[in-house]
C-alpha cells in the first residue's frame, strides 16, 4: 500500500514539473479534508491586464486578489480622456493599498505611473483612481497592466 502511494506521488510531481516547464499552472490539493491548496506556477509569473472607466467626478476602485504569496507585484497604469472635450489625460489621484489597507504608493495629477512592491500575506490589493473635482467634466479610461511573480 505504501509503495503504491509513493509511486502516485512521484507521478504527480513529474507531471507538475513537466507542466511548469511548459508554462502551465497547476493546483494540487494536498489534503481534501483541510481544503488546502498549493499553487505551482511557471517562472514567467501571472500577467493581468484590465481597463477601468472612471466617470467624471467619481472615484473607482479595482481590486485584485493575490493568486499566491509571497510574491512581487509590478506593472504600470495609463490614463486617457474618453472624448475630445477633456482638457488633458490626467486623473486627479491614484493609489495602491495593500492587503492590510495601508497605502503602498500614490500619484497626484498624473497621466501614468509605474509600481513595484512585495506582498507577504494573502488577500486583496486595491487600486483606486479618482477623477473627482469641480473642473472634472469628462470621464477617463485607465489601462492597468500587472505582473505577479
Amino acid at each position: 500500500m505504501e509503495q503504491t502511494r509513493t509511486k502516485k506521488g512521484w507521478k504527480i510531481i513529474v507531471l507538475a514539473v513537466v507542466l511548469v516547464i511548459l508554462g502551465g499552472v497547476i493546483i494540487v490539493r494536498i489534503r481534501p479534508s483541510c481544503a488546502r491548496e498549493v499553487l505551482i506556477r511557471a517562472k514567467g509569473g501571472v500577467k493581468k491586464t484590465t481597463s477601468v472607466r472612471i466617470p467624471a467626478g467619481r472615484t473607482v476602485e479595482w481590486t485584485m486578489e493575490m493568486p499566491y504569496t509571497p510574491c512581487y507585484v509590478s506593472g504600470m497604469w495609463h490614463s486617457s480622456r474618453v472624448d475630445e472635450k477633456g482638457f488633458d489625460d490626467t486623473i486627479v489621484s491614484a493609489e495602491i493599498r495593500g492587503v492590510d489597507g495601508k497605502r503602498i504608493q500614490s500619484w497626484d495629477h498624473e497621466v501614468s505611473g509605474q509600481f513595484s512592491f512585495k506582498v507577504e500575506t494573502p488577500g486583496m490589493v486595491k487600486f483606486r483612481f479618482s477623477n473627482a473635482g469641480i473642473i472634472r467634466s469628462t470621464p477617463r479610461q485607465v489601462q492597468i497592466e500587472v505582473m505577479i511573480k
Side-chain angles (χ1 to χ4, degrees):
M1 184 73 163
E2 187 64 37
Q3 191 175 12
T4 306
R5 243 189 247 160
T6 306
K7 285 182 181 178
K8 263 188 187 176
W10 279 107
K11 286 179 184 176
I12 291 172
I13 290 172
V14 169
L15 176 64
V17 170
V18 168
L19 286 173
V20 168
I21 290 171
L22 295 175
V25 175
I26 312 169
I27 296 177
V28 179
R29 208 171 275 264
I30 296 174
R31 293 183 192 166
S33 61
C34 297
R36 292 190 322 164
E37 294 180 343
V38 175
L39 182 65
I40 301 172
R41 64 201 186 277
K43 290 181 183 176
V46 176
K47 185 175 182 179
K48 295 187 178 193
T49 305
T50 191
S51 180
V52 179
R53 185 180 174 102
I54 306 162
R58 303 283 182 169
T59 299
V60 173
E61 191 172 86
W62 178 67
T63 58
M64 181 179 66
E65 186 170 1
M66 295 295 100
Y68 47 84
T69 54
C71 63
Y72 287 97
V73 179
S74 62
M76 62 161 294
W77 61 268
H78 178 78
S79 121
S80 58
R81 60 182 174 255
V82 175
D83 58 31
E84 296 302 317
K85 294 179 185 177
F87 178 69
D88 59 15
D89 292 338
T90 63
I91 56 172
V92 174
S93 66
E95 71 177 15
I96 300 173
R97 293 201 175 258
V99 174
D100 57 0
K102 293 181 181 176
R103 185 182 317 171
I104 294 173
Q105 200 166 350
S106 63
W107 300 266
D108 287 322
H109 298 282
E110 298 287 339
V111 174
S112 63
Q114 294 184 345
F115 51 87
S116 180
F117 55 92
K118 186 174 183 178
V119 177
E120 297 283 345
T121 57
M124 304 292 266
V125 173
K126 297 175 183 175
F127 292 76
R128 186 175 297 154
F129 298 95
S130 175
N131 194 25
I134 297 171
I135 61 170
R136 294 295 175 166
S137 59
T138 58
R140 300 291 189 269
Q141 194 74 28
V142 176
Q143 305 292 326
I144 308 166
E145 292 181 18
V146 179
M147 177 61 85
I148 304 167
K149 292 185 178 182

